[in-house]
Amino acid sequence: MTYTIKRTFAILFMAIFGSVLLYNCEPETDNLGEQLFLNDAAQGEETPYDVIAYNINNNDSIRSDASTMYTIIGSTRKAVLGAFTENQFGMQRASYLTQLRLPSYSPDFGTNATVDSVVLVVKPTYDTSLLTTTEEDNGYKFGDIEAKKIVNTYPVYKYGKTEINGATPQFTIKVNEVQDFLNGQNDIAYSNQNFASFSEELGSKVFNGNVNSVTITKDSDGTSIYTSSAVGLRIPLKASFFQTKIIDHASSSDLKDVSNFIRYFRGLKISVAESDGYLFQFNPDDIELIMYYKNDKTENGTTTRPQSTYKFTMGAANTHIGHYEYDRTDTEFKNFVIGDKEKGDAKLYLQGMGGPSIGIKIPENTIKDLKKLYQDNKTAIIGARIRIYSDPSWNNGYSNLASQYERPGADSFTIIQKDKDANGKETTAFTTDMLNLSGSLNFAIYKVYDLDKNPTHYDFTITKSLKDIVETGEGYTNKYFKIDLGNFTPTSSAVLAGPKYTQRTFSPERVVLIGNDPLFSDKKIQLWVVHSKK
């Protein structure tokens, strides 16, 4: 099975960079190149060359504030919760911190206001096609009304284990008040940055991996009495805390403006107690915090206490931070993530959410050989790709879906070019293949082969990047390629935001690949070049 990442938002670079064309109208071999290779029509000799591939240890840290959580810039965000342990990468636990705001300040909750209940609603991404429906209508009552309760249950999309010791993993999801000020929405925060929270829990709930919606209808005529506002996980919080913190404090200066409030009520931390299971995603802008309360209402001499609903503002205006913990003790990770830039690393460990990246450098001898072929034999490059195979040890096949489907590979990557400017400062750029070929039919940043098998292998296109070095004399001393998990992030107009904007912050995937391992001569990472003579 072959999976192809098509065209890379095809119009994007024409919009940004103008009509930068790789080819002219003359059909000379050294000007053709990738358009033949893209259509599997390249006629020439394909030769493997060695490269130096090494792990880049990111110290288990990544920028994880609100501005890095976008799946689409300015629109949809993703955050991660859960925990996952396996013997290659170790333990990874994801927590989430958020501010909250009042819908309006100096609130008036009326006379003798008391909190009935408070609920935090988290809405994980779930599989709408896998639905289980439960109905209760045998003597069920909603208050004094004979009714029927319909519960629709959906499995959440997960990355991790489908079972532990024969049972479906469950999490105890905890909510705590944050002690430290979380700063502003546009301030930088990192995933290993610790923000203290109070030890007293505001609430918790056991999560079995499913979310549901509830509808209650009358038995008499079938009309709806109640429909839950959204499919999600509802976590009950302590009413007494919000009575003291909000209702009893309503007239204070702490609730008179946003600046005071986010320093008074600094935020919430949502975490899991366990260290193994799976990771799941949700949109932090969709979280709801709802307070139900009663107050005195007097009309015509009669006093009643109707229930009211108060929704805190939990969306885009708030600070959102992902907090990730790692434990690499007694893992293969510690033995292989060396970062040898001279000989390369035998195994390559690629992981999102702050785990390691891969650096790939083409050796000087390889460049010299290719230049000699071009200059002496008029042999041009018409195709070039870095081929990487998954390591046989990575055969666990962790689930990436709500169902039981499992696979050993990963299927979302970025590749960028790194170099140094005249002042010695490292630069980051899209590969020149992306800049010049993204509008071409069948162009792919990379192609994935046999994703459901082991080994999976990946081909990363670097034709134009290599041609520039070999055929135009572009410098290569400080140039290398960097590969990460997670896609590039588009804007709402389907244009990629830039080489530094990726979805690595919330990508739960990981994979072990074969690097410069002499034991795998036929599967070690290599540069494959297609040549053709004029």
Side-chain angles (χ1 to χ4, degrees):
M1 187 180 297
T2 300
Y3 296 75
T4 304
I5 311 304
K6 296 283 188 180
R7 299 190 63 184
T8 329
F9 299 95
I11 62 170
L12 104 116
F13 293 113
M14 292 301 180
I16 298 178
F17 301 102
S19 299
V20 182
L21 300 179
L22 175 59
Y23 319 117
N24 61 26
C25 296
E26 298 298 323
E28 294 187 15
T29 308
D30 57 349
N31 286 328
L32 284 172
E34 186 70 9
Q35 79 271 38
L36 294 178
F37 189 62
L38 289 173
N39 296 310
D40 297 320
Q43 300 296 319
E45 180 182 356
E46 188 171 27
T47 307
Y49 295 88
D50 286 340
V51 296
I52 299 170
Y54 52 92
N55 294 284
I56 299 173
N57 192 336
N58 296 304
N59 297 314
D60 292 336
S61 176
I62 191 171
R63 184 174 170 183
S64 60
D65 51 70
S67 63
T68 66
M69 293 180 174
Y70 281 115
T71 60
I72 301 174
I73 296 292
S75 179
T76 310
R77 285 190 178 99
K78 282 285 189 296
V80 185
L81 275 176
F84 180 29
T85 299
E86 38 81 15
N87 60 7
Q88 292 278 17
F89 289 86
M91 190 280 293
Q92 181 184 37
R93 182 188 286 118
S95 305
Y96 165 72
L97 297 94
T98 181
Q99 289 173 331
L100 61 155
R101 284 166 163 73
L102 301 179
S104 61
Y105 290 87
S106 296
D108 182 2
F109 295 104
T111 304
N112 295 326
T114 57
V115 178
D116 284 339
S117 61
V118 181
V119 64
L120 180 71
V121 185
V122 179
K123 304 171 188 176
T125 307
Y126 60 93
D127 189 341
T128 58
S129 66
L130 298 175
L131 167 65
T132 302
T133 300
T134 303
E135 296 187 7
E136 296 179 28
D137 67 326
N138 185 16
Y140 177 80
K141 287 188 176 183
F142 185 76
D144 295 328
I145 302 171
E146 298 288 338
K148 178 169 69 175
K149 181 180 180 181
I150 304 170
V151 180
N152 293 324
T153 303
Y154 308 89
V156 167
Y157 285 112
K158 311 171 183 72
Y159 184 87
K161 296 176 180 176
T162 56
E163 63 177 46
I164 298 175
N165 298 325
T168 301
Q170 294 191 143
F171 287 124
T172 303
I173 298 183
K174 306 185 299 179
V175 181
N176 295 78
E177 181 188 6
V178 175
Q179 288 190 51
D180 294 334
F181 180 52
L182 296 181
N183 299 318
Q185 183 200 22
N186 297 319
D187 289 323
I188 293 173
Y190 287 90
S191 61
N192 61 345
Q193 188 172 348
N194 286 313
F195 292 93
S197 59
F198 291 101
S199 58
E200 180 186 5
E201 288 181 16
L202 300 185
S204 67
K205 185 167 186 176
V206 175
F207 178 54
N208 65 2
N210 298 316
V211 289
N212 57 61
S213 62
V214 176
T215 301
I216 299 174
T217 60
K218 292 181 181 179
D219 281 350
S220 58
D221 58 9
T223 58
S224 176
I225 303 173
Y226 169 81
T227 300
S228 56
S229 59
V231 178
L233 170 67
R234 298 171 66 87
I235 307 169
L237 305 184
K238 286 185 177 180
S240 58
F241 171 85
F242 286 86
Q243 178 74 43
T244 302
K245 193 85 175 181
I246 302 298
I247 297 288
D248 296 347
H249 213 67
S251 62
S252 76
S253 60
D254 293 324
L255 274 65
K256 285 188 175 180
D257 61 58
V258 63
S259 178
N260 285 344
F261 182 75
I262 61 176
R263 287 166 173 80
Y264 165 66
F265 194 167
R266 294 171 181 173
L268 299 174
K269 178 180 180 180
I270 308 173
S271 60
V272 300
E274 294 76 10
S275 59
D276 199 8
Y278 49 81
L279 302 170
F280 64 94
Q281 297 177 333
F282 62 96
N283 184 344
D285 292 332
D286 283 346
I287 285 182
E288 294 181 314
L289 180 59
I290 308 165
M291 181 174 70
Y292 301 91
Y293 70 97
K294 290 187 176 75
N295 58 8
D296 292 346
K297 296 284 186 182
T298 302
E299 292 184 10
N300 301 322
T302 301
T303 299
T304 60
R305 288 181 63 77
Q307 188 178 76
S308 299
T309 300
Y310 189 84
K311 282 191 174 184
F312 293 85
T313 301
M314 302 293 293
N318 292 295
T319 296
H320 306 284
I321 300 172
H323 178 69
Y324 309 143
E325 304 167 68
Y326 292 88
D327 185 353
R328 309 290 193 184
T329 306
D330 299 326
T331 61
E332 292 296 309
F333 179 99
K334 294 184 70 175
N335 298 326
F336 289 98
V337 180
I338 299 168
D340 189 338
K341 296 182 181 181
E342 299 299 321
K343 298 179 181 179
D345 289 340
K347 292 185 182 183
L348 304 173
Y349 281 68
L350 196 58
Q351 184 179 27
M353 297 170 60
S357 310
I358 295 174
I360 301 171
K361 186 166 180 63
I362 302 174
E364 183 177 0
N365 288 340
T366 298
I367 298 296
K368 287 180 178 178
D369 290 344
L370 292 170
K371 284 186 174 184
K372 184 174 178 60
L373 280 173
Y374 178 69
Q375 294 165 359
D376 296 352
N377 300 337
K378 301 299 182 183
T379 301
I381 295 169
I382 61 172
R385 48 196 170 171
I386 295 170
R387 177 168 293 175
I388 316 177
Y389 284 88
S390 61
D391 189 86
S393 66
W394 188 245
N395 57 7
N396 332 59
Y398 296 110
S399 174
N400 197 28
L401 296 173
S403 68
Q404 299 297 310
Y405 174 67
E406 298 178 350
R407 61 195 187 203
D411 63 354
S412 60
F413 299 87
T414 61
I415 180 170
I416 55 176
Q417 289 182 177
K418 306 286 282 187
D419 208 336
K420 288 185 178 179
D421 61 20
N423 298 316
K425 184 179 179 180
E426 188 169 75
T427 61
T428 299
F430 287 120
T431 64
T432 49
D433 294 81
M434 289 180 64
L435 298 181
N436 289 274
L437 297 170
S438 60
S440 301
L441 183 65
N442 292 330
F443 173 75
I445 304 171
Y446 59 91
K447 294 184 179 180
V448 186
Y449 298 88
D450 299 325
L451 184 58
D452 55 346
K453 298 186 177 85
N454 196 353
T456 299
H457 79 267
Y458 309 89
D459 283 351
F460 291 85
T461 303
I462 62 163
T463 303
K464 173 62 172 157
S465 302
L466 187 62
K467 285 174 71 73
D468 286 347
I469 295 171
V470 173
E471 299 175 12
T472 68
E474 184 178 287
Y476 64 90
T477 302
N478 298 309
K479 190 187 298 293
Y480 69 96
F481 298 97
K482 182 170 177 280
I483 295 176
D484 277 301
L485 284 171
N487 293 315
F488 287 110
T489 308
T491 67
S492 57
S493 57
V495 175
L496 295 189
K500 294 182 179 180
Y501 294 88
T502 77
Q503 297 170 6
R504 190 165 71 94
T505 295
F506 52 85
S507 173
E509 290 188 302
R510 74 282 308 273
V511 65
V512 182
L513 305 164
I514 300 173
N516 296 112
D517 191 340
L519 298 178
F520 292 96
S521 58
D522 61 332
K523 295 291 191 295
K524 68 179 181 180
I525 186 170
Q526 287 183 311
L527 168 66
W528 285 81
V529 181
V530 180
H531 303 278
S532 185
K533 288 187 178 182
K534 289 185 178 182

